[in-house]
Amino acid sequence: MLMASACGNGTSDGKGGAGGPIEVGYVVIWPSSVPVEQSLPGRIAAFQISEVRPQVSGVMTRRLFAEGSVVRQGQTLYQIDPSLYQAQVSQAVANVQSARASAEAARARAERYKPLAEMEAVSKQDYSDALAQARQATASIAQNSAALRTAQINLRYTSVPAPITGRIGLSKFTEGALVTANQADALTTITRLDPVYVDIQQSAPDLLALRRSLAQGGAIPMTTQVRLKLPDGSDYGYTGTVQFTEVVVDAGTGSVTLRARFPNPQGLLLPGMFVTSSFSQSVDTTAYLVPQAAISRDPKGNATLWIVGQGNTAVARTVVADRTDGTNWVVTQGLAGGEKVITQGLGKVKEGAKLKPVVASTPQRTGAAKAPAGR
């Protein structure tokens, strides 16, 4: 009787259970196209910045804008005293008229000398000198005309225009100040804030790993749409696009700069602001999406799961799952297409236990469940 009792208790050996195989739910996994998400720090940079400087020297007589307002390209910002430059224009006009009068006299003299030279009434040398003087007078007209255009340009520069459209800053000079051409200090600065750039810093090793995966065919590039989180943690309502990637690694930080362009119609993004960017640089075509309930962590932090092995036995597997995608873990190593990953009934599963696998969507029966009355 003791031997029989021992044999009867031996039916539960850890590979099944007193009630037979363990019923578990499973999903069949296959490779999926999973975006490779990146979350990186970034900093806002202005789309355009222009420092306004005078092109001519003189005393500033008027400031024609309100500080902090939006100015348009070509709008006059400052007026410099134009008196000296108006006089230069008048002098240049008179020089052109004088040169034209001299040219007419020289041309007429050369025309009179031509037939006389043919009749040898005057020497050929005299005719050559008259012809040369006529040509010099014509060249003098061109020289004085160029001087007139220069004087007119300088007169136009007494009205200092806005080189770009944008928001103007503080004026560093007031009426009555003496300004000089090409001075070191800018009169003011104009900044264009719509759109703006976001300079994103990505480490060189991450960029190298991405390029290797693209070269090996494990990932495919994609048009990158970037999302932003503002310093207060809120989401920025607009998406941007990556314009280019720098080709030089910063020696101080070991990172590469990616520049994205964002619309900024409300002016929320200001130059110098730090933000967090999220985007997908590529799509991993060899990853597996596994429900989060199927994966646990061992004391060392390694991701583990159970699969249905040969003969419907439980097999533990260590995998690489370093990121999530919605309600799934993204597994990049440790699985093969077509394997059955256990997602339900994991509390009773042990290594080598006999299993009764059913599709995970099938309702699972537990020992506490009772059949409904009348059935």
Side-chain angles (χ1 to χ4, degrees):
M1 291 176 63
L2 291 173
M3 293 177 61
S5 177
C7 291
N9 292 333
T11 58
S12 179
D13 58 357
K15 296 185 179 182
I22 303 171
E23 185 173 339
V24 295
Y26 70 88
V27 294
V28 180
I29 54 98
W30 298 98
S32 303
S33 295
V34 183
V36 180
E37 291 287 338
Q38 296 280 350
S39 183
L40 300 171
R43 192 172 187 180
I44 307 300
F47 186 77
Q48 287 179 320
I49 297 178
S50 176
E51 294 183 340
V52 181
R53 287 183 171 84
Q55 300 296 307
V56 294
S57 301
V59 176
M60 187 184 300
T61 58
R62 296 179 63 191
R63 191 192 76 189
L64 304 172
F65 66 91
E67 295 173 326
S69 64
V70 175
V71 296
R72 303 295 176 184
Q73 184 177 12
Q75 176 181 337
T76 300
L77 304 178
Y78 298 95
Q79 181 63 55
I80 298 173
D81 184 7
S83 303
L84 177 63
Y85 300 98
Q86 288 174 343
Q88 291 177 353
V89 169
S90 299
Q91 182 179 359
V93 170
N95 291 339
V96 170
Q97 293 174 348
S98 176
R100 287 175 177 172
S102 299
E104 289 177 2
R107 185 168 53 252
R109 183 181 180 186
E111 290 176 353
R112 287 195 303 268
Y113 273 33
K114 183 177 181 180
L116 296 177
E118 293 175 350
M119 295 183 300
E120 297 184 353
V122 296
S123 67
K124 292 184 178 181
Q125 183 62 46
D126 291 340
Y127 171 66
S128 298
D129 293 342
L131 187 60
Q133 291 175 358
R135 291 173 179 172
Q136 289 176 351
T138 302
S140 179
I141 294 176
Q143 291 175 345
N144 285 280
S145 296
L148 173 60
R149 287 194 297 271
T150 300
Q152 291 171 338
I153 291 172
N154 288 335
L155 177 61
R156 188 171 71 247
Y157 280 159
T158 58
S159 297
V160 182
I164 62 173
T165 298
R167 191 169 296 277
I168 197 165
L170 295 173
S171 177
K172 299 179 181 179
F173 291 81
T174 61
E175 291 87 345
L178 176 64
V179 296
T180 57
N182 303 319
Q183 64 185 27
D185 295 330
L187 301 177
T188 187
T189 302
I190 303 174
T191 306
R192 182 177 174 184
L193 298 177
D194 185 23
V196 294
Y197 288 126
V198 178
D199 291 334
I200 304 167
Q201 304 299 321
Q202 184 176 29
S203 67
D206 289 347
L207 183 61
L208 183 60
L210 171 65
R211 293 188 174 182
R212 281 178 175 170
S213 63
L214 293 175
Q216 294 170 359
I220 57 176
M222 62 184 302
T223 302
T224 305
Q225 295 291 323
V226 186
R227 302 175 300 281
L228 289 183
K229 279 190 178 297
L230 300 178
D232 61 358
S234 61
D235 291 325
Y236 184 59
Y238 298 91
T239 60
T241 55
V242 173
Q243 299 291 301
F244 78 98
T245 301
E246 185 60 82
V247 296
V248 178
V249 177
D250 189 296
T253 62
S255 61
V256 179
T257 300
L258 289 74
R259 169 161 282 188
R261 177 174 172 175
F262 275 81
N264 189 31
Q266 283 82 34
L268 291 178
L269 303 179
L270 300 177
M273 180 184 293
F274 286 98
V275 293
T276 302
S277 62
S278 300
F279 58 97
S280 300
Q281 285 183 300
S282 64
V283 175
D284 191 346
T285 59
T286 60
Y288 299 90
L289 292 177
V290 177
Q292 292 186 12
I295 292 182
S296 60
R297 298 281 174 174
D298 63 16
K300 296 182 179 180
N302 298 320
T304 61
L305 51 75
W306 293 93
I307 65 171
V308 179
Q310 294 183 353
N312 289 340
T313 58
V315 178
R317 184 74 61 80
T318 300
V319 296
V320 176
D322 52 7
R323 67 181 189 274
T324 60
D325 182 29
T327 60
N328 300 310
W329 280 102
V330 179
V331 178
T332 55
Q333 295 180 24
L335 287 177
E339 289 189 310
K340 299 177 181 179
V341 176
I342 300 173
T343 61
Q344 296 174 338
L346 293 167
K348 299 180 181 180
V349 176
K350 297 181 181 180
E351 181 69 29
K354 291 294 184 180
L355 305 175
K356 180 184 177 182
V358 295
V359 178
S361 59
T362 304
Q364 303 295 301
R365 293 183 298 173
T366 64
K370 295 182 179 180
R375 295 193 178 180

